Amino acid sequence: PCTVSGRYSGSNDDEFFKFTAKAGQRILVDCWGQRIDSKFDATLVAFDAQGRELAKNHHASRRDPLLDFTAPADGVY
């Protein structure tokens, strides 16, 4: 379990975070924007080390995305 805090700069630049996961490990990423009264409108996407998209979510809780996926193999995501 961990928490990652960030700050949106207002540009349309993508932000990336890398993490290591084991095969079968469930990963949950919950992004709070609207729930903390921000105009931030995020999309969460998980990619494998080769850049293939594995999961994507734009709106799970109003404008806030929740990404829920299971790592298909040991590796960096």
Side-chain angles (χ1 to χ4, degrees):
C2 78
T3 299
V4 176
S5 295
R7 182 177 200 154
Y8 178 61
S9 66
S11 67
N12 286 329
D13 295 338
D14 295 330
E15 298 290 335
F16 294 91
F17 298 90
K18 288 184 180 183
F19 59 91
T20 302
K22 299 280 187 190
Q25 183 177 359
R26 184 178 184 200
I27 307 295
L28 294 170
V29 182
D30 189 12
C31 182
W32 284 43
Q34 185 175 16
R35 288 175 282 176
I36 60 170
D37 200 28
S38 171
K39 294 180 182 175
F40 186 58
D41 190 10
T43 299
L44 296 174
V45 184
F47 297 97
D48 65 12
Q50 289 72 42
R52 292 182 293 242
E53 185 178 302
L54 302 176
K56 182 177 185 175
N57 186 271
H58 183 64
H59 293 144
S61 176
R62 298 182 286 168
R63 256 192 351 251
D64 296 340
L66 172 69
L67 190 67
D68 181 355
F69 83 103
T70 302
D74 292 357
V76 176
Y77 295 88

